């Protein structure tokens, strides 16, 4: 089987590097978001699965409302400042 060698210009390599780092950043933020939502589900799970029923249903309602607000309107996180190259 013949193998081909691909040669890229420095501009093409920079574009690939830039796209890769953008995708890594988006994946990192997405993973943080999933962790945040799972934590909210954990709070609700603890309230629902107590051995004794929750005496305060308002606490459960507030926890559900907070999770829904996070899911529908995710908090906007500021990008980390990047160093400028001269």
């Amino acid at each position: 089987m013949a193998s081909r060698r691909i040669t890229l210009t420095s501009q093409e390599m920079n574009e690939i590097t830039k796209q890769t780092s953008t995708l890594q950043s988006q994946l990192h933020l997405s993973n943080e978001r999933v962790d945040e939502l799972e934590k909210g589900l954990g709070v609700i799970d603890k309230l629902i699965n107590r051995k004794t029923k929750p005496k305060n249903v308002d606490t459960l309602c507030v926890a559900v409302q907070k999770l829904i607000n996070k899911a529908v309107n995710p908090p906007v996180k500021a990008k980390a400042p990047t160093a400028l190259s001269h």
Side-chain angles (χ1 to χ4, degrees):
M1 182 174 194
S3 60
R4 284 184 111 166
R5 186 176 191 130
I6 298 173
T7 306
L8 299 174
T9 65
S10 62
Q11 182 178 359
E12 290 170 326
M13 234 3 243
N14 288 340
E15 282 295 316
I16 290 172
T17 304
K18 182 179 174 183
Q19 289 175 353
T20 301
S21 55
T22 299
L23 288 173
Q24 287 174 336
S25 174
Q26 290 173 345
L27 179 62
H28 178 72
L29 290 174
S30 177
N31 287 341
E32 285 181 354
R33 185 91 177 98
V34 168
D35 291 342
E36 193 177 353
L37 293 173
E38 284 178 348
K39 183 179 177 185
L41 286 174
V43 170
I44 292 170
D45 185 52
K46 286 179 185 175
L47 291 171
I48 291 173
N49 291 321
R50 287 184 179 168
K51 295 197 190 245
T52 60
K53 295 291 178 198
K55 294 180 173 76
N56 189 355
V57 177
D58 292 336
T59 307
L60 177 62
C61 291
V62 168
V64 171
Q65 184 179 9
K66 283 181 181 179
L67 183 63
I68 291 170
N69 286 339
K70 281 183 184 178
V72 173
N73 300 316
V76 178
K77 293 188 179 189
K79 285 186 174 182
T82 57
L84 298 175
S85 59
H86 294 283

